[in-house]
Amino acid sequence: MINFFKNLKGIIITPGQTLGKLMDKKQWVASFILIIITIFIFTYISSPFDIAKGSELIKNSSIAEHFSEDQLENFGHISNLNRIMTSIWASFISTIVLIIASFFTYLFYGIGKAEGLYINYFSLIINASIIDMIIPRLIRTLSLLFLNTNIATHLNLSLLFPALTNTSFSFLIFSQIDLFSIWYLIAIASGVAVFSKMSLKKSFFIAILYFLFKSIIKISFSYLFIKIMGN
């Protein structure tokens, strides 16, 4: 337990050395459990806010004409059972995302001739995701609870372009770059550099390519969803 908290501190303060060590030792179980538990809890807490926001989105879209007024009104409510099921689903999807992210990280670095097996990169992604998945959700959940707004949405590059709408393609692009994505990118690159003895410059280059690949996929699906909702 002491080592776990020491590693947790190291991931935040000295990610390169800590993640490189965890990659080498293939340690990921404790961080994975922490991620799944926190995602479950945070999703359960924030789901009423998300349902209310989603309800407003549906009411203002062309899809609304396919529902009755009572159905539209009920979209804004969620039972405890549904909150639990939503939290379980979020945890499951997060697990799938971690597995896929580990595979593509392993693939990109493998092409770059980095050392290591899939399990090494799985350990890297699981531990680094404390930065990318837990901290933003913590800020989001606390700000929703106490301020009734999501502060995390104001920590990305789109903040510099207030004229952009949330459904614009430009907004989707700029929203991919935030404090946590940069922090996560630095952690991944420095961790691999320590583990595989790769130059930090080359590791950063590969990490940026992976980030661009991941961002293109996220932007594409988000834009497609917006178009579907708009039509």
Side-chain angles (χ1 to χ4, degrees):
M1 184 63 71
I2 295 176
N3 285 335
F4 170 70
F5 285 110
K6 183 179 179 180
N7 290 332
L8 194 62
K9 178 181 177 181
I11 290 169
I12 296 172
I13 300 176
T14 56
Q17 294 295 327
T18 304
L19 291 173
K21 179 189 69 176
L22 293 172
M23 283 183 73
D24 185 51
K25 293 184 177 180
K26 305 179 182 69
Q27 293 183 3
W28 57 270
V29 176
S31 294
F32 176 74
I33 293 173
L34 175 64
I35 289 172
I36 296 305
I37 291 175
T38 52
I39 287 177
F40 180 90
I41 294 173
F42 293 156
T43 302
Y44 182 84
I45 294 172
S46 64
S47 55
F49 298 94
D50 297 329
I51 291 295
K53 184 177 179 180
S55 176
E56 288 300 317
L57 182 63
I58 291 174
K59 289 176 182 177
N60 295 327
S61 70
S62 59
I63 296 178
E65 65 186 32
H66 300 291
F67 300 95
S68 66
E69 291 185 6
D70 290 339
Q71 288 176 320
L72 290 174
E73 186 64 29
N74 289 331
F75 280 146
H77 300 86
I78 182 171
S79 66
N80 285 330
L81 178 59
N82 286 336
R83 289 173 71 178
I84 292 173
M85 296 304 296
T86 301
S87 301
I88 292 174
W89 178 250
S91 300
F92 173 74
I93 292 299
S94 297
T95 301
I96 299 300
V97 168
L98 289 170
I99 292 171
I100 295 174
S102 301
F103 170 76
F104 280 106
T105 305
Y106 171 60
L107 179 64
F108 272 73
Y109 275 100
I111 295 173
K113 306 300 182 183
E115 298 178 0
L117 303 173
Y118 173 78
I119 186 61
N120 299 117
Y121 290 89
F122 183 72
S123 301
L124 168 71
I125 294 301
I126 294 296
N127 288 290
S129 292
I130 289 174
I131 296 170
D132 190 42
M133 298 180 80
I134 291 184
I135 298 177
R137 278 179 169 82
L138 175 62
I139 293 174
R140 179 180 187 274
T141 303
L142 291 177
S143 61
L144 284 173
L145 278 175
F146 297 105
L147 302 175
N148 200 33
T149 186
N150 182 10
I151 292 179
T153 59
H154 303 295
L155 299 178
N156 58 58
L157 201 59
S158 65
L159 183 64
L160 301 178
F161 306 93
L164 295 177
T165 61
N166 292 353
T167 57
S168 68
F169 190 71
S170 298
F171 176 85
L172 293 175
I173 294 175
F174 291 126
S175 64
Q176 298 301 309
I177 306 173
D178 59 25
L179 171 66
F180 305 105
S181 63
I182 295 173
W183 187 1
Y184 177 77
L185 194 69
I186 293 172
I188 292 294
S190 55
V192 174
V194 170
F195 168 75
S196 67
K197 307 300 187 295
M198 175 184 286
S199 70
L200 188 58
K201 183 178 180 180
K202 182 178 180 181
S203 185
F204 267 115
F205 178 72
I206 296 173
I208 290 172
L209 289 179
Y210 168 67
F211 174 76
L212 291 174
F213 169 77
K214 182 175 71 171
S215 297
I216 289 171
I217 293 176
K218 290 175 67 177
I219 290 169
S220 299
F221 276 102
S222 298
Y223 190 68
L224 179 62
F225 175 76
I226 289 171
K227 285 297 182 181
I228 292 173
M229 292 298 293
N231 293 328

